[in-house]
Amino acid sequence: MDLAQALGAIDHIRNGHTTSFAIQLPGKANDFFQLDVQTGKQGLFEWETIYNAYGDLWGIIGMFVARLGFTINDSGLHVRVTEIESTHPRDCLLRLTYGPKEIMAFLGLNTDSYDFGFETLDEVFTWATKSRFFRRDCFEKSKEKEQVSKKAQRPIIENFMTEWLPRRPSIGFVEEDRQSHRERLVKEAVESFGKRTEYEQMVVKHKHKLMKDAMWRKIVKVLPLEGKELGEAIKALKALLRWEDGGPVWCVEGIPDTRVPALEDDIVDSVVLPWVTEHWREALNRKKA
């Protein structure tokens, strides 16, 4: 028997990790209640319980920490690696922690107050805005307007933005240079959570990726091909090109399977491009063999 049958639900709908069941109230033919069942990620039960508590509380917190280089989601607290974010935003997240106490402490939120619990939305909002990250202009700046307006469609966030915050015009004003403040917080975060090595590794990996991408763009330009033929040639070169003793070689038995590393522009121009110009036809022949 599946869960819907076990619950006696007349219908259900799935949205991501959450499944909502419509269950009839006993003795009420036309009255129903909604039961949401969420499947969590392994090892993250404690954090996901916190993250999904009090409606969109963490959605509000996530909005104002985002402007200072951090992301909060159901996997924990992340720093966005500045050197990666502008070109590859989906690859820029470095998780700092998924420990609820550690997250609250870093954000400057009182853990004892959270443990005690909240009885009203006013208490929830007051607690959240005590964070050292809170800036009211997060909800007012025009450049974030589209993102904010989408999230404001959710009732609790809308209440916070259109009712609660406007009634408190004096909170959340901080004079600062946002970029330099972000840099200080990111540095503090990677040091506090012991993520300096991982951060630097991500930066280096990203730099090498950009260098390799640039090399292949140059290779595309030097090949006297277009369309499908160009695509086949590039595919063959990527599959067969290797690097040994400071120069390109073919992938053959007895040669170490060493992929072409990230190369500086002068090496690409003086070594790789002339070699490819001379040997690209051979790549196609080898691929067909």
Side-chain angles (χ1 to χ4, degrees):
M1 179 181 294
D2 63 19
L3 185 56
Q5 290 177 311
L7 294 171
I10 66 163
D11 200 0
H12 66 279
I13 186 172
R14 178 171 294 175
N15 182 16
H17 296 291
T18 302
T19 303
S20 299
F21 297 89
I23 302 174
Q24 188 175 27
L25 288 170
K28 303 288 186 178
N30 298 313
D31 293 333
F32 303 86
F33 69 92
Q34 177 177 311
L35 175 66
D36 292 337
V37 177
Q38 180 168 330
T39 56
K41 300 174 183 176
Q42 186 173 2
L44 293 175
F45 178 79
E46 183 181 8
W47 167 244
E48 289 197 45
T49 301
I50 299 290
Y51 182 72
N52 289 291
Y54 296 107
D56 287 307
L57 166 62
W58 287 96
I60 293 170
I61 296 172
M63 290 166 73
F64 59 72
V65 304
R67 297 184 70 237
L68 292 170
F70 296 82
T71 293
I72 295 176
N73 58 27
D74 57 0
S75 295
L77 174 66
H78 310 255
V79 65
R80 298 197 305 278
V81 179
T82 308
E83 294 85 345
I84 302 176
E85 184 177 10
S86 61
T87 55
H88 293 79
R90 294 184 179 181
D91 301 324
C92 73
L93 294 185
L94 171 61
R95 184 164 67 181
L96 299 170
T97 181
Y98 53 83
K101 300 297 185 184
E102 290 83 358
I103 292 173
M104 293 181 196
F106 180 75
L107 298 181
L109 292 167
N110 190 298
T111 57
D112 291 336
S113 296
Y114 186 90
D115 290 341
F116 185 78
F118 310 115
E119 294 185 356
T120 66
L121 270 182
D122 179 67
E123 292 180 2
V124 172
F125 294 158
T126 299
W127 179 79
T129 54
K130 295 294 184 182
S131 169
R132 63 181 178 135
F133 282 71
F134 176 67
R135 306 290 186 272
R136 73 179 299 119
D137 64 354
C138 162
F139 303 93
E140 299 169 350
K141 290 289 187 180
S142 60
K143 66 185 297 184
E144 284 91 12
K145 187 175 181 180
E146 181 179 353
Q147 177 188 10
V148 169
S149 63
K150 287 180 180 179
K151 293 189 176 182
Q153 295 174 11
R154 303 180 68 91
I156 291 180
I157 296 179
E158 181 180 15
N159 180 299
F160 177 78
M161 290 176 54
T162 63
E163 297 182 32
W164 192 88
L165 192 58
R167 291 199 299 266
R168 294 160 178 80
S170 63
I171 68 170
F173 285 104
V174 180
E175 293 292 333
E176 65 187 2
D177 177 77
R178 185 168 64 166
Q179 184 57 39
S180 61
H181 188 50
R182 169 177 174 162
E183 292 171 359
R184 289 194 298 272
L185 286 171
V186 168
K187 181 179 180 181
E188 177 190 343
V190 296
E191 297 296 344
S192 298
F193 291 100
K195 299 292 183 175
R196 170 58 60 188
T197 299
E198 289 181 61
Y199 189 101
E200 293 174 349
Q201 288 174 344
M202 287 180 66
V203 172
V204 171
K205 182 179 179 180
H206 179 65
K207 179 183 177 181
H208 288 175
K209 183 182 186 306
L210 294 180
M211 292 170 71
K212 290 182 179 181
D213 289 346
M215 179 189 75
W216 284 106
R217 286 195 297 271
K218 288 187 174 186
I219 291 175
V220 166
K221 289 182 178 181
V222 301
L223 294 181
L225 301 169
E226 295 181 352
K228 183 178 179 180
E229 290 182 332
L230 176 60
E232 290 176 348
I234 292 297
K235 184 177 180 179
L237 285 166
K238 286 186 175 182
L240 298 172
L241 196 59
R242 297 294 184 270
W243 191 260
E244 185 183 22
D245 296 332
V249 294
W250 293 123
C251 176
V252 296
E253 187 176 350
I255 298 294
D257 188 12
T258 307
R259 301 280 176 172
V260 179
L263 300 170
E264 298 292 343
D265 283 344
D266 58 339
I267 301 297
V268 173
D269 294 340
S270 63
V271 178
V272 177
L273 296 185
W275 192 92
V276 168
T277 301
E278 181 179 352
H279 295 90
W280 66 266
R281 292 179 181 84
E282 189 177 349
L284 288 172
N285 292 334
R286 286 174 175 269
K287 191 67 176 176
K288 293 175 182 177

